[in-house]
Amino acid sequence: MPVVGPEKLVELQHQHDCIRNICILAHVDHGKTSLTDALIATNGIISPRLAGKIRYLDSRPDEQLRGITMESSAISLYFSMLHRKSPEETPAEQEHLINLIDSPGHIDFSSEVSVASRLCDGAVVLVDAVEGVQSQTVTVLRQTWIEHLRPLLVINKIDRLITELKMSPGEAYTHLSKILEQVNAVMGTFFQGERMEQDLKWRERIEHRVAEAKNQQQNGSAEDESNDMASNGNSQHDEGSTVDFEETDDENIYFAPEKNNVIFSSALDGWGFTIKQFAALYEKKLGIKRSVLEKVLWGDFYLDPKTKRVLGKKHLKGRNLKPMFVQLVLENIWAVYEATVGRGSGKGDPSLTQKILNSLSITLPGHVLRSKDPRSILTSLFTAWLPLSTAILVSVVQYLPSPPAAQAARLPSILQASPGAEFIDGRLREAMVEFKSDKDQPVVAFVSKMVAVPESQLPEKRRRGGALTAEEAREAGRRKRAEIARAQALASSGTDSEQVDSVTATLSSATIGDGSANEEPDEDPEHLIGFARIYSGTLSVGDEIYALPPKFSPAYPHASPEPSKATITGLYLMMGRSLELLNTVPAGVVFGIAGLEGHVLKSGTLCSQVSGGVNLAGVNLGSQPIVRVALEPVNPGDLDKMITGMKLLVQSDPCAEYEVLESGEHVIATAGELHLERCLKDLRERFAKCEIQAGEPIVPYRETIVSAVEMAPSKNKDLPRGTVMGVTASKQFMIRLNVRPLPEEVTDYLGKNANGIRKLHSQVKVNEEVEEGTEETEQQGTSADRPSVESRPVSLSEFRRGLKQAFIEAKADQSIWGDVLDRIVAFGPRRVGPNMLVDATQGGYFRRFLREHEQSDAHSTSQQPSDSNNSSSSFLPDNISDKITYGFQLATAQGPLCHEPMQGVAVFLEEVTLSSSSSDSSGGTPQMENQGALTGEIIKTVRDSIRQGFLDWSPRLLLAMYSCEIQASTEVLGRVYGVITRRRGRILSESLQEGTQLFSILSILPVAESFGFSDEIRKRTSGAASPQLIFEGFDSRQVDILDQDPFWVPFTDEELEDLGELADRENVAKKYMDRVRSRKGLFVTGRKLVERAEKQKTLKR
């Protein structure tokens, strides 16, 4: 096909029903970019012979070197097909615009998948026919479910079943059926989870209505009996409408070849087909209607060779017939491989090849048939018979929705889940859902990420056609003549041979097209281009539009940070490695946008209005940054360059984060080791353009406590374990608290619902402001005071019910945890962590966080601390509770082991006493001039008391854990086990994939031991195995990997006899703890700088 110009693509942007916005999703190395090459070749951008080899959208050199995609790339393709509305009509040509986004499959770059999916209406999901459903396959299927995308399944690499596994057509059919069942099982789990959530919400509504009805009956009176009867009738009518739970049909969520949503393909060999294509081929030959064939070509249906009738499995009567898919489809595919490449032997059968060509009425050029490369004949035959691009694009056009249809189906639920959904302007909502693209309609666009583009690659700076203008040519000639004259003058003092050599070198380096051959290269600054999708209205260059930040809510439109107005300086058509200029962009198009620098950091919403605007930025990134590294320039004078470059990197990378620690270190956080390598390469070569050295990776840990057998005796024998009496230096404040470990189930629940706790905290603060009448403060509050957009809203009753169920599952002691829900004051650290502060005082000084029916006069009725001299109102209990809570947050943010956050710790406040100072003659509460000093003392005392109670138990250091998935053959299985064991990993499961010789190994591995793990696995196995590392968190159930007390020393007679006073066995927990303390500059206990003073042997610091 000839190259399609950008003018044609721009023309198709205004034909909304002919547009398809799709993304390619799959596990790593399942063939996404190879399949994309086949689609790009249809537009003449690359040669069809190079499809699957050139990987056109992998434009980065490191992508080509490693063979994996690291950044999502977009390209617009043209596709035309003949279509007839009815069998009697003449087919008419239909032109389509396919906006395609290729996304990475590696877990480190799963944030790019989240970015790509929000911009699209449909997804093409690839699954390897040999490997089947992998971890990232489940992730991308979940992403399509969350974003309400319609998926299209492609079972790729079927050629491996023929050439590698040597399967017969019947075995391959069974194998493909199992893969399809696996994918549908994943989709079924998503549906079941959503169904249970809907059922829970329905039960909550019923309970709420029943409670309302009881309240109305209790508060009713005889005077308005008639009104009560009418209202009861209405409530019964409403209740009746909600009693009948609406069952959701799950038929449309599954993949089935007869539905035309499954494609069988081999992207490397360039072929693909659907059931519909073979139904059209066999319609006339078998005399069976196409609609019937489409239903029976897949499944347990058999063709009677005598009667040419389709039989079900019940009517076989013992005959050994092959399924129709095997007989009519797979056997033909296998025959082509047997004739051309000999099913992997490399020797084909020319006579059989010619017979197949004659039966298919295909003519191949003579040079192809004479080719010594059998794969050349194979790909040419399949390209003429079952072209991959045709199968994919026809299915995309026929099965996936256009932007108007997709927005009508997707946007209502997305808008309902956005923050402040009830405050969205009705006209704007209508324009988005009904796809209004007129110029006078509200404009809404979503910028999913910012892409850094060198200035030389911008279309405004790029020379059209590569030709110089007359003036540019004359100027280049003048510069070259001046350079030659200068070189001759410098060489005039030398010998003749030196002069000739000098002039020859100068002339050889002089080219007309390059005006600065001997000069320093000009800087090529990076510009940030927004990767966006427009949902309503039309955008033009020069328009002014508001950039709404990611935490914007229409309920507080002018809250900080204030939405800023940006001027559109450029619009671009995304063409993979290049950009094309646009003047206007209508709704439904994926495009690039310039002019957002300083207005959009990573992602944001563009809207023509602030009041009643919509925030679409609630994208859940698949991976969180876990690996942190401190960076510094080799040349200290390049520090400003490095800081500027890191800020650019953070803007252009959805998952990278940059922070400056208290020690002054510049730290970058990435999703994994591969992501870190890419970020460092971009910093050195593109953004900072200076030499940068990276320190050792900073791995996070968590500190917790357990009740172990080997615990040392309690430090204070008069008090229960974990109980501490804390007194300030001025003796004015005394606190008694008890620290104890939380049950594992409760810790897990709090860790998984951190976003829900954050939302509840925001709602509580907003309600307090409303009660106090501070509406003006609400409008000017910080973004932390407003509900976040990371997850769906969680009600207080729902959170209480889940937390209560966690305590029940943990079988917790009721005497301790029975009424703890009503006494929780705060969670920590940062108000959302898996630790809790519980008010166990008799007076109840603190506002309870999870109390459903808080008394309106809670502050006024709170009892004072145990002191009779509280006549002064200068230092109220609320102020004290504030300071105690802050001390709790500090203690849980930096534990006593190595200043890492705590996890799974509960702090019970048992007694709080506030007394007057001995130097206070009035005998009252602390006066204003002493409150500042007392505030610091209270915070410090609470923090130190919690840490002291923490150490009274048996402390543990929780490691950040990776879940490691490896596929390996039998030959290298032992080497894989050796590498995992040496790095303190643990094998969880090992299973043999049916029909293959590959083992799937699932293990867990500490993040601290994972650096260099992938390279070592590949070296030890000679490239036969490659791991996939997924961050699993700090699960306390995996503590058996490091079930050691870092302070443990032998103290019983048996331990002293076996291990000696020095404890000969290595304490791995202490080793990790000392490493972190040394990095943070904390005192390391037991470290010896001089081992033997008489020999002056100094150890390395």
Side-chain angles (χ1 to χ4, degrees):
M1 180 180 286
V3 178
V4 180
E7 297 80 9
K8 184 66 176 177
L9 300 177
V10 173
E11 178 186 340
L12 290 175
Q13 286 183 348
H14 298 274
Q15 302 178 18
H16 307 130
D17 292 330
C18 297
I19 298 176
R20 300 293 185 273
N21 297 317
I22 64 171
C23 54
I24 312 292
L25 308 176
H27 187 77
V28 64
D29 289 335
H30 278 202
K32 299 180 298 298
T33 308
S34 299
L35 181 139
T36 306
D37 276 358
L39 305 183
I40 294 174
T42 62
N43 279 224
I45 299 175
I46 61 174
S47 170
R49 296 182 180 178
L50 297 177
K53 304 176 181 67
I54 193 174
R55 300 198 305 276
Y56 181 78
L57 290 184
D58 286 349
S59 56
R60 295 172 55 97
D62 48 354
E63 289 180 325
Q64 292 287 342
L65 182 64
R66 291 180 176 271
I68 62 173
T69 305
M70 298 184 184
E71 290 182 350
S72 54
S73 304
I75 191 169
S76 297
L77 302 176
Y78 169 84
F79 177 65
S80 64
M81 59 180 290
L82 296 177
H83 177 73
R84 63 176 71 187
K85 297 181 179 179
S86 62
E88 295 80 14
E89 293 185 4
T90 305
E93 183 181 9
Q94 277 191 352
E95 297 177 324
H96 297 274
L97 173 65
I98 311 294
N99 294 319
L100 183 145
I101 302 177
D102 181 28
S103 62
H106 197 280
I107 185 64
D108 281 8
F109 309 106
S110 57
S111 58
E112 297 279 349
V113 177
S114 306
V115 161
S117 58
R118 175 55 66 96
L119 303 179
C120 298
D121 302 320
V124 178
V125 180
L126 274 71
V127 177
D128 192 317
V130 174
E131 297 181 1
V133 175
Q134 298 294 309
S135 59
Q136 198 66 3
T137 309
V138 178
T139 302
V140 298
L141 286 172
R142 182 182 294 109
Q143 194 67 34
T144 62
W145 183 270
I146 293 172
E147 295 291 340
H148 305 283
L149 303 180
R150 184 179 295 181
L152 185 66
L153 179 65
V154 178
I155 302 179
N156 193 28
K157 299 188 179 183
I158 295 182
D159 59 294
R160 295 183 63 188
L161 303 180
I162 306 173
T163 58
E164 293 183 19
L165 302 183
K166 312 293 184 183
M167 286 186 177
S168 66
E171 293 171 342
Y173 169 69
T174 305
H175 185 75
L176 294 174
S177 301
K178 292 182 178 179
I179 291 178
L180 197 59
E181 290 175 2
Q182 291 175 4
V183 178
N184 284 333
V186 173
M187 300 300 293
T189 57
F190 299 154
F191 173 80
Q192 188 66 23
E194 187 177 86
R195 169 69 173 75
M196 294 174 65
E197 185 177 334
Q198 292 175 351
D199 180 69
L200 179 62
K201 291 182 178 179
W202 172 76
R203 292 179 184 276
E204 286 183 355
R205 290 198 299 268
I206 295 298
E207 292 174 0
H208 181 66
R209 289 182 179 274
V210 170
E212 282 187 346
K214 289 182 178 178
N215 291 335
Q216 288 180 1
Q217 292 177 1
Q218 293 174 0
N219 298 331
S221 60
E223 297 178 358
D224 51 359
E225 182 178 354
S226 59
N227 295 333
D228 287 343
M229 292 176 61
S231 62
N232 288 336
N234 293 332
S235 65
Q236 290 175 3
H237 175 74
D238 294 339
E239 184 178 345
S241 63
T242 58
V243 165
D244 298 331
F245 182 75
E246 295 182 4
E247 292 289 347
T248 307
D249 187 11
D250 63 343
E251 182 180 357
N252 295 326
I253 69 171
Y254 297 117
F255 297 101
E258 61 268 19
K259 295 180 181 179
N260 200 34
N261 60 359
V262 179
I263 300 173
F264 305 92
S265 74
S266 170
L268 187 63
D269 293 337
W271 60 266
F273 65 88
T274 61
I275 293 295
K276 198 171 184 178
Q277 287 178 261
F278 274 92
L281 290 175
Y282 285 107
E283 180 182 12
K284 294 182 179 179
K285 187 175 181 179
L286 298 178
I288 303 176
K289 292 183 179 180
R290 183 185 302 184
S291 58
V292 176
L293 277 176
E294 290 177 4
K295 295 179 181 178
V296 299
L297 267 180
W298 177 268
D300 294 330
F301 297 99
Y302 305 85
L303 182 65
D304 192 332
K306 296 181 180 179
T307 62
K308 301 295 182 182
R309 295 180 59 187
V310 179
L311 304 177
K313 196 171 185 179
K314 297 179 181 179
H315 302 86
L316 287 180
K317 297 179 181 179
R319 287 183 291 178
N320 187 20
L321 297 181
K322 300 177 182 178
M324 292 181 66
F325 187 77
V326 174
Q327 183 180 357
L328 302 181
V329 179
L330 293 186
E331 287 186 349
N332 293 324
I333 302 292
W334 261 244
V336 173
Y337 275 90
E338 184 69 35
T340 54
V341 298
R343 292 183 61 182
S345 63
K347 297 180 181 179
D349 186 350
S351 60
L352 182 58
T353 302
Q354 190 61 48
K355 183 178 179 182
I356 292 175
L357 290 173
N358 294 335
S359 63
L360 296 175
S361 302
I362 294 175
T363 302
L364 294 181
H367 70 276
V368 174
L369 293 174
R370 293 189 298 270
S371 175
K372 295 182 179 180
D373 182 12
R375 300 201 68 85
S376 176
I377 303 175
L378 174 72
T379 55
S380 300
L381 194 157
F382 272 126
T383 301
W385 180 32
L386 299 172
L388 174 62
S389 58
T390 302
I392 296 291
L393 294 178
V394 169
S395 298
V396 165
V397 169
Q398 293 181 347
Y399 183 74
L400 299 185
S402 62
Q407 289 187 198
R410 292 179 62 209
L411 285 187
S413 57
I414 293 178
L415 293 178
Q416 188 61 33
S418 65
E422 60 274 14
F423 297 96
I424 298 176
D425 185 15
R427 181 169 176 266
L428 187 143
R429 184 192 295 266
E430 181 182 354
M432 294 178 66
V433 175
E434 298 183 4
F435 195 81
K436 296 183 178 180
S437 59
D438 297 335
K439 188 69 177 177
D440 57 343
Q441 293 294 330
V443 177
V444 177
F446 173 62
V447 180
S448 64
K449 71 170 184 174
M450 303 295 288
V451 182
V453 179
E455 187 177 279
S456 59
Q457 295 184 12
L458 293 177
E460 301 94 330
K461 305 294 182 181
R462 192 174 64 242
R463 187 175 292 112
R464 291 287 181 181
L468 294 172
T469 64
E471 184 61 32
E472 290 174 337
R474 284 192 291 269
E475 180 63 26
R478 280 194 294 269
R479 284 198 301 267
K480 290 306 171 187
R481 285 193 294 271
E483 291 172 9
I484 294 172
R486 189 163 53 251
Q488 291 174 344
L490 291 173
S492 60
S493 60
T495 61
D496 292 341
S497 60
E498 291 175 351
Q499 294 178 17
V500 172
D501 293 341
S502 176
V503 173
T504 302
T506 304
L507 289 174
S508 63
S509 63
T511 57
I512 296 298
D514 184 9
S516 58
N518 294 327
E519 299 175 2
E520 293 184 1
D522 296 334
E523 290 188 2
D524 192 7
E526 300 280 343
H527 293 269
L528 293 174
I529 305 297
F531 193 21
R533 156 80 182 269
I534 182 169
Y535 290 93
S536 66
T538 301
L539 265 181
S540 302
V541 177
D543 287 353
E544 291 186 346
I545 193 165
Y546 290 100
L548 309 182
K551 291 189 176 182
F552 171 83
S553 174
Y556 318 103
H558 299 288
S560 178
E562 184 84 15
S564 58
K565 182 177 286 189
T567 302
I568 308 302
T569 59
L571 298 171
Y572 305 101
L573 179 68
M574 312 288 280
M575 292 300 293
R577 301 185 181 186
S578 61
L579 302 171
E580 298 293 339
L581 281 174
L582 297 174
N583 293 324
T584 61
V585 173
V589 174
V590 177
F591 64 100
I593 180 171
L596 302 181
E597 296 185 47
H599 301 280
V600 175
L601 179 60
K602 287 178 177 285
S603 64
T605 308
L606 304 180
C607 190
S608 56
Q609 62 189 62
V610 174
S611 180
V614 60
N615 184 4
L616 299 174
V619 179
N620 182 24
L621 300 181
S623 59
Q624 298 299 325
I626 185 65
V627 179
R628 301 189 301 164
V629 172
L631 305 179
E632 62 179 4
V634 175
N635 181 9
D638 293 333
L639 181 60
D640 290 340
K641 280 186 178 180
M642 189 191 75
I643 294 175
T644 304
M646 292 179 77
K647 291 179 180 178
L648 271 173
L649 172 68
V650 168
Q651 283 189 274
S652 61
D653 194 309
C655 195
E657 294 181 0
Y658 164 58
E659 62 177 327
V660 181
L661 301 183
E662 295 179 357
S663 59
E665 292 178 294
H666 298 271
V667 174
I668 183 172
T670 59
E673 190 176 6
L674 182 58
H675 187 208
L676 174 63
E677 290 181 20
R678 193 197 77 177
C679 290
L680 292 178
K681 180 180 177 63
D682 285 346
L683 264 179
R684 294 186 179 112
E685 298 179 2
R686 296 179 59 188
F687 302 127
K689 294 184 179 178
C690 64
E691 286 299 320
I692 295 175
Q693 59 185 10
E696 291 188 2
I698 303 172
V699 179
Y701 296 86
R702 293 292 183 268
E703 302 179 17
T704 190
I705 51 177
V706 297
S707 178
V709 178
E710 75 278 4
M711 284 191 300
S714 180
K715 296 178 177 59
N716 191 339
K717 297 181 180 180
D718 297 332
L719 296 174
R721 183 178 294 276
T723 302
V724 178
M725 300 283 291
V727 183
T728 59
S730 63
K731 311 298 183 182
Q732 294 178 267
F733 175 80
M734 189 276 291
I735 185 171
R736 172 177 169 146
L737 53 85
N738 177 262
V739 179
R740 61 176 59 250
L742 270 175
E744 290 183 1
E745 291 78 2
V746 178
T747 304
D748 293 342
Y749 180 81
L750 295 179
K752 293 176 182 178
N753 291 272
N755 291 330
I757 299 174
R758 183 180 293 109
K759 287 179 179 294
L760 290 176
H761 189 276
S762 301
Q763 293 170 5
V764 168
K765 294 205 70 173
V766 170
N767 293 337
E768 289 177 359
E769 291 175 351
V770 171
E771 290 175 2
E772 296 171 5
T774 57
E775 289 82 359
E776 184 176 348
T777 308
E778 289 178 4
Q779 295 294 331
Q780 300 175 355
T782 61
S783 58
D785 296 333
R786 292 177 281 111
S788 66
V789 297
E790 296 178 6
S791 64
R792 66 178 184 85
V794 179
S795 65
L796 181 59
S797 58
E798 182 181 350
F799 181 79
R800 282 177 57 92
R801 184 164 49 250
L803 188 57
K804 183 177 180 180
Q805 183 62 32
F807 276 111
I808 295 174
E809 293 175 359
K811 298 179 180 179
D813 187 355
Q814 292 298 314
S815 62
I816 301 174
W817 308 100
D819 58 343
V820 73
L821 290 182
D822 291 327
R823 296 184 291 149
I824 294 176
V825 177
F827 297 97
R830 297 183 178 181
R831 305 193 301 262
V832 295
N835 308 285
M836 62 173 62
L837 180 65
V838 182
D839 183 8
T841 59
Q842 295 181 357
Y845 307 136
F846 303 92
R847 177 179 287 272
R848 312 299 172 83
F849 182 69
L850 293 183
R851 181 174 292 178
E852 290 186 288
H853 303 289
E854 186 78 33
Q855 297 295 331
S856 60
D857 56 347
H859 288 283
S860 60
T861 59
S862 295
Q863 297 187 19
Q864 304 290 336
S866 54
D867 180 25
S868 58
N869 299 320
N870 282 326
S871 57
S872 174
S873 61
S874 60
F875 212 68
L876 295 175
D878 291 333
N879 302 98
I880 298 177
S881 65
D882 223 11
K883 310 308 176 291
I884 294 175
T885 304
Y886 187 68
F888 166 76
Q889 300 293 343
L890 288 181
T892 53
Q894 292 186 338
L897 298 184
C898 50
H899 283 195
E900 291 291 321
M902 291 184 187
Q903 175 174 310
V905 176
V907 179
F908 289 80
L909 299 174
E910 297 181 348
E911 184 180 351
V912 177
T913 303
L914 178 65
S915 62
S916 61
S917 175
S918 58
S919 60
D920 188 2
S921 59
S922 62
T925 57
Q927 299 303 311
M928 294 298 294
E929 60 269 14
N930 298 327
Q931 287 185 18
L934 183 58
T935 295
E937 289 181 359
I938 292 175
I939 294 174
K940 182 177 182 300
T941 301
V942 172
R943 183 196 63 185
D944 294 345
S945 299
I946 293 175
R947 290 179 176 177
Q948 185 179 346
F950 181 96
L951 294 175
D952 210 13
W953 295 86
S954 182
R956 292 291 188 271
L957 201 62
L958 297 183
L959 302 180
M961 303 302 297
Y962 274 138
S963 171
C964 176
E965 293 185 5
I966 304 176
Q967 287 193 339
S969 58
T970 312
E971 293 80 8
V972 298
L973 204 59
R975 302 175 193 172
V976 171
Y977 279 15
V979 175
I980 294 175
T981 306
R982 188 164 53 253
R983 290 176 175 266
R984 306 186 191 279
R986 181 161 59 89
I987 307 297
L988 297 181
S989 65
E990 170 196 316
S991 59
L992 178 65
Q993 291 188 0
E994 190 173 351
T996 70
Q997 296 181 351
L998 297 176
F999 282 87
S1000 292
I1001 305 165
L1002 180 63
S1003 62
I1004 54 176
L1005 186 75
V1007 175
E1009 303 289 345
S1010 67
F1011 301 102
F1013 174 73
S1014 300
D1015 291 339
E1016 186 179 0
I1017 282 284
R1018 282 191 285 267
K1019 288 177 182 177
R1020 295 285 182 180
T1021 62
S1022 300
S1026 183
Q1028 186 84 350
L1029 299 176
I1030 305 172
F1031 180 63
E1032 285 292 317
F1034 307 88
D1035 194 345
S1036 57
R1037 286 171 295 185
Q1038 297 169 353
V1039 79
D1040 54 344
I1041 288 183
L1042 198 59
D1043 192 12
Q1044 290 180 324
D1045 187 342
F1047 300 111
W1048 180 87
V1049 291
F1051 60 91
T1052 64
D1053 293 339
E1054 293 180 358
E1055 291 172 346
L1056 288 171
E1057 182 179 352
D1058 293 341
L1059 302 174
E1061 294 182 0
L1062 297 178
D1064 294 336
R1065 71 177 184 183
E1066 182 187 21
N1067 192 329
V1068 182
K1070 188 176 188 308
K1071 172 186 167 184
Y1072 284 130
M1073 183 185 74
D1074 290 347
R1075 184 188 302 174
V1076 178
R1077 292 185 69 90
S1078 178
R1079 175 176 58 81
K1080 294 184 176 182
L1082 303 174
F1083 177 72
V1084 179
T1085 306
R1087 182 171 62 176
K1088 294 183 179 180
L1089 299 180
V1090 178
E1091 187 72 25
R1092 292 181 177 87
E1094 67 275 9
K1095 294 185 177 181
Q1096 292 296 307
K1097 184 177 180 181
T1098 304
L1099 299 180
K1100 184 179 180 182
R1101 289 179 180 270

